[in-house]
Amino acid sequence: MATEAHGEAGQAVGMPQLDFSTWPNQIFWLLVTLVVIYFVLSKIALPRIGAVLADRKSTITNDLAAAEELKQKAVAAEKAYNDALANARTEAAKIVAQAKAEIQKDLDAATAKADVEIAAKAAESEKSIAEIRDGAAAAVSEVAKDVAAELVAALGGAADAKTVTAAVTARLKG
Amino acid sequence: MATEEHAGGLQIHPMDQFVVKPLFGDGPIEWYTPTNVTLWMGIAVLAMIALLVLSTRRRAIVPSRGQSVAELFYGFIHKMVEDVAGHEGLKFFPYIMTLFMFVFLSNMLGLIPMSFTTTSHIAVTAVLALLVFLTVTLVGFYRKGIGFLSMFWVSSAPLILRPILAVIELISYFVRPLSHSIRLGGNLMAGHAVIKVFAGFAGAMGVASVVPIAAIAAIYGLELLVAAVQAYVFTILTCVYLRDAVGDAHH
Amino acid sequence: MEGDIAEMGKFIGAGLATMGLGGAGIGVGHIAGNFLAGALRNPSAAPGQMANLFVGIAFAEALGIFSFLIALLLMFAV
């Protein structure tokens, strides 16, 4: 069967690879194919793919650089923020100290003034108290003399004013 | 010619799939006749264009699936050429890419049932291998002049051995296109013939033919591997040979 | 009769030629096995040697393919 088929196809051998009558045909079409593939590849496909790959590489590199830059910016911003915060803190502490000092000064002044007033008032009070006490003491001796004179009179004695006064004064001192 | 008659009634014609036929009519095959060789090489070209040109037409920074595949092929071969043939070899990158794409796509298309495997023909692989051989030889002499011959003079060997080694090196250099072409053609031919032989068994064994059919499935998987590996090997050997021509001789 | 003997010789020759495949099998197995042994000792160096592995296998396999080709030539071409 196969022999006949081969015979019909005009082939002399059983191995088509060694049928040299078809070689020029295959070689011709192979060369055509190779030339076509070579031109399509070297003119269109390979430059395009190479460009795309290079493009992607540069895009990635750029993106990485941009990301790095942004990161630096973020770090700088954070530093600035921290600096500002520290400054504000120092400033606030200064203001607080100043305010405290002022308040202290006012307070001291007010305290001193108040002390003076209090001292004055206290002295005044002392004086009036002394007056009152003196008045009272005088009144007491007066009353004592009167009471003593009355007592002496009541007891039937004649009250010598001088003696009574001396006695009362001595008792009051005693 | 009567071999099949001795095959015990099995109608196995493992070589029929390799017959070159004219596409139109039944006439003799002249060098310009469009044949199934033309058809399948044309399909390989179209597949290459679809794979590498159409898929990348959007030039996206974020690639689509097709573009990723194209970039994968590009990166794979580019890296191979750079690693094996050296930086100088990158000038030949389009050439090597051409060989790889043609061999790879022909191998893969040949695995479609009822298709025709152009790379299983010695005529095709011999031309590919001779192109590589001529390129390497001409580029070697062009770039290094007569110094290219120092490749055969192994300066690290003892002086007495050098002429013998030179003869061996010279023979191995000229055997290169032979082994280069027969490796590719023979591998594909063998694989396809084996599948066809098993297919012939399946036709003759009735119910028990599940066994050869399972074997065909397994061999088909192996053939997919072989198709890819042979394209890879063909390309990397091209790079290895090219290194002799463009690279550092004592590398 | 004479043709039959020639046929027989062809088949015997083709069968003998397939023995070369065993050599290729030994060679490929040797390369792959040694690669694996080396890769297990130094796994970090293994990926860089994949190209050499494939090239070695390709060289070993090519010789097996030659013997297969001779078998085919005997079967179909002689």
Side-chain angles (χ1 to χ4, degrees), chain B residues 102-126:
Chain B
F102 175 74
V103 172
F104 181 77
L105 290 174
S106 296
N107 289 356
M108 283 300 174
L109 290 171
L111 282 171
I112 298 171
M114 310 301 291
S115 71
F116 176 81
T117 319
T118 47
T119 39
S120 70
H121 273 259
I122 303 294
V124 172
T125 58

Side-chain angles (χ1 to χ4, degrees), chain A:
Chain A
M1 292 288 276
T3 321
E4 284 166 22
H6 288 175
E8 279 166 17
Q11 281 158 355
V13 293
M15 214 169 131
Q17 277 88 349
L18 295 178
D19 181 3
F20 290 100
S21 68
T22 65
W23 277 45
N25 181 275
Q26 295 188 50
I27 292 169
F28 168 69
W29 288 113
L30 172 66
L31 292 179
V32 170
T33 308
L34 286 182
V35 168
V36 170
I37 293 181
Y38 183 81
F39 274 100
V40 170
L41 282 180
S42 63
K43 296 292 171 207
I44 304 172
L46 297 185
R48 186 189 286 179
I49 299 175
V52 167
L53 288 179
D55 236 33
R56 176 169 316 141
K57 206 175 169 191
S58 70
T59 306
I60 289 172
T61 316
N62 286 347
D63 283 3
L64 281 180
E68 187 63 27
E69 206 173 301
L70 286 179
K71 199 180 159 197
Q72 298 288 353
K73 269 187 192 161
V75 168
E78 201 190 346
K79 195 166 168 288
Y81 168 76
N82 280 339
D83 283 358
L85 205 63
N87 280 349
R89 269 209 190 112
T90 340
E91 202 73 11
K94 221 189 273 173
I95 288 168
V96 164
Q98 214 173 331
K100 239 184 207 166
E102 266 168 33
I103 288 166
Q104 192 65 44
K105 217 164 73 187
D106 286 0
L107 206 61
D108 285 353
T111 310
K113 206 172 139 199
D115 278 353
V116 170
E117 270 169 31
I118 288 167
K121 272 205 181 134
E124 211 172 307
S125 306
E126 201 89 4
K127 218 167 80 188
S128 58
I129 288 170
E131 267 169 31
I132 290 166
R133 193 193 285 152
D134 289 352
V140 164
S141 63
E142 200 73 26
V143 168
K145 277 174 211 165
D146 285 354
V147 169
E150 287 301 317
L151 276 173
V152 169
L155 290 170
D160 183 10
K162 272 193 183 169
T163 319
V164 170
T165 303
V168 168
T169 309
R171 292 301 288 196
L172 279 176
K173 275 179 186 166

